[in-house]
Amino acid sequence: MTSTAVPATTTGGPGLPQERRLVTAIPGPRSQELLARKAAAVPSGVGVAVPVAVVAAGGGVVVDADGNSLVDLGSGIAVTSVGNAHPGVAAAVAAQAVAFTHTCFTIAAYDGYVEVAEALNRLTPGDHEKRTALFNSGAEAVENAVKIARKHTGKQAIVVFDHAYHGRTNLTMALTAKNQPYKSGFGPFAPEVYRVPMSYPFHDGLSGTEAAARAISQIEKQVGVENTAAVLIEPIQGEGGFVVPASGFLPAIAEWARTNDVVFIADEVQTGFARTGAMFASEHEGVVPDIVTTAKGIAGGLPLSAVTGRAEIMDSPHAGGIGGTYGGNPIACAAALAAIDAFEHDGLVERAQQIETVLFDALRTAQEQDPRIGDVRGRGAMIAMELVDPETGAPDPGLTGRIVRYAYEHGVIALTAGTYGNVVRFLPPLAIDDALLVEGVGIVLEGLATA
Ligand code: PLZ
């Protein structure tokens, strides 16, 4: 059997040459070989967006088995914010792996879990007393946030928004808006989930106050505050297309929740940890959520997620009511502590702000020449362009698909998003350098010009 496994000598991390380098077509022969094996061994429901076999990654590049070096504008969907194979993360993982790999925290406790909890209690918005519980995936964090909010309020209804994405488990599929590809045929879905309109300035033209009034009226008329346990919202929607609500929308919803005994849950799985040019996206509008869910960027690529919230809410489940075999695994916690150290001490919040400037400059200049770029939006290193038919304003998912294909064929990983599939999103590692970032976005725009 042939194999494209990593040679033992392969080292990723920031020491990799920071360059876009194409030595074969994409996919090259070794990548094609892996994808053929994948087709025979892995179900087709598990897709692969960029047809490469990865052997190393670091800084702003991903290197494939054929020797191509691709500019990474995706970070594995906003995960490797500190950079892939970050040296501090790699060293912490290695050290923890030779000390102990697992106890199950609910069987026998260890320092790393508590230290991650302390760090999140300190870093998330608000100076009230907090508690943090750790899990494995973003979806699992969201599920637990819902469990805790229901237990605390004694109510059941969960309010979510148009274009929302919260995961692929049964409850989180119900919370997620988009049918294809996330939900189709996978029901029945969990009950007591109610969807209300989001603030989406490019589409609805409403102010934050108007959009909040629309959503609140719908909750009060169709659900009832006496039934509503929680409002769950991404402060900037991720999979939904980097939808930044109009200013004032989030504070108005949070304030309404506060006065109605409704738990306000911010899903910061994609927006958390410096990604948007603040440690958490809720900070941009001074919102202090009752509960924050985090994952992705938290641990530099290891699976870890968290629910952080007001102590009185978090402590409402009975002893033993919250748990799981792997939640807060010691290796993932060691990685998180190294990643959090980098977020706090390596200027990554400021770096995300600089990336915003570079991306907005490039995309807004392109938008002036090209009416197919209907909207450019986002914050920090979470920036997107929404593509439309200039005549009708209709979404153009076909064009979007051609652009990201052009990009990877020319050595740049770019991702799509959006309810209408017409958004190209930029989520570079915060470890990317400016030259590579400018080159990468340039290739994407070249794709737009030729598509
Ligand atoms: N909440 C806000 O963005 C994950 C999904 C990719 P998990 N987004 C990427 C895909 O196609 O599956 C996400 C998110 C927000 C929750 C989640 C779920 O996080 O770690 O994928 O479970």
Side-chain angles (χ1 to χ4, degrees), residues 11-389:
T11 306
L16 278 179
Q18 296 297 298
E19 61 181 12
R20 182 173 65 98
R21 182 181 70 235
L22 289 177
V23 296
T24 70
I26 306 273
R30 301 198 70 184
S31 292
Q32 286 179 33
E33 199 182 294
L34 179 69
L35 291 166
R37 281 171 47 213
K38 181 236 168 215
V42 180
S44 49
V46 180
V48 168
V50 182
V52 292
V54 177
V55 294
V61 299
V62 171
V63 176
D64 77 9
D66 297 292
N68 301 297
S69 174
L70 291 84
V71 180
D72 183 7
L73 300 183
S75 305
I77 321 189
V79 170
T80 54
S81 301
V82 296
N84 222 310
H86 179 280
V89 171
V93 165
Q96 182 60 48
V98 294
F100 63 97
T101 52
H102 176 82
T103 66
C104 185
F105 186 77
T106 60
I107 300 299
Y110 41 87
D111 184 81
Y113 187 116
V114 178
E115 217 177 315
V116 171
E118 288 166 347
L120 281 164
N121 294 345
R122 176 168 55 80
L123 289 170
T124 49
D127 51 15
H128 49 279
E129 197 179 338
K130 298 173 201 157
R131 302 279 186 271
T132 289
L134 300 179
F135 304 97
N136 302 290
S137 65
E140 199 185 359
V142 172
E143 291 238 1
N144 277 281
V146 168
K147 282 165 70 171
I148 293 165
R150 283 178 170 159
K151 185 83 182 190
H152 174 71
T153 58
K155 301 189 274 184
Q156 294 188 351
I158 306 299
V159 170
V160 290
F161 290 81
D162 284 336
H163 315 290
Y165 184 91
H166 299 291
R168 294 179 185 257
T169 57
N170 186 262
L171 174 57
T172 59
M173 275 193 294
L175 301 168
T176 290
K178 197 177 172 185
N179 175 47
Q180 280 288 357
Y182 308 122
K183 303 167 72 163
S184 189
F186 296 145
F189 302 112
E192 289 308 313
V193 173
Y194 299 88
R195 194 169 308 285
V196 300
M198 178 63 179
S199 166
Y200 194 156
F202 178 61
H203 285 211
D204 64 25
L206 298 180
S207 73
T209 318
E210 291 162 346
R214 176 178 66 175
I216 288 166
S217 148
Q218 195 159 318
I219 302 169
E220 291 180 341
K221 297 286 179 304
Q222 298 184 16
V223 191
V225 291
E226 70 276 29
N227 301 310
T228 305
V231 171
L232 167 65
I233 189 164
E234 300 154 87
I236 297 174
Q237 290 181 321
E239 304 307 301
F242 290 14
V243 179
V244 185
S247 135
F249 178 77
L250 289 172
I253 300 283
E255 175 59 18
W256 174 87
R258 201 185 58 76
T259 53
N260 287 289
D261 184 32
V262 170
V263 177
F264 182 85
I265 307 172
D267 182 349
E268 295 242 19
V269 164
Q270 190 153 161
T271 51
F273 294 102
R275 175 56 53 186
T276 68
M279 197 58 89
F280 295 96
S282 300
E283 294 168 34
H284 292 294
E285 289 213 66
V287 168
V288 178
D290 299 313
I291 291 180
V292 180
T293 55
T294 53
K296 290 190 184 279
I298 188 173
L302 274 87
L304 186 72
S305 67
V307 179
T308 302
R310 294 184 187 280
E312 65 275 19
I313 297 176
M314 295 297 292
D315 281 335
S316 44
H318 47 282
I322 299 293
T325 306
Y326 292 112
N329 168 271
I331 298 178
C333 286
L337 292 171
I340 290 168
D341 185 67
F343 286 121
E344 283 201 275
H345 301 118
D346 294 352
L348 294 186
V349 168
E350 296 71 25
R351 181 62 194 139
Q353 294 165 0
Q354 293 161 359
I355 289 173
E356 171 180 316
T357 305
V358 172
L359 288 174
F360 272 161
D361 279 357
L363 296 174
R364 288 190 171 142
T365 305
Q367 187 183 23
E368 282 163 21
Q369 322 294 327
D370 193 332
R372 294 175 299 170
I373 306 181
D375 195 23
V376 173
R377 59 174 178 258
R379 289 190 200 270
M382 186 171 178
I383 304 293
M385 60 177 176
E386 178 162 349
L387 298 161
V388 295
D389 178 330

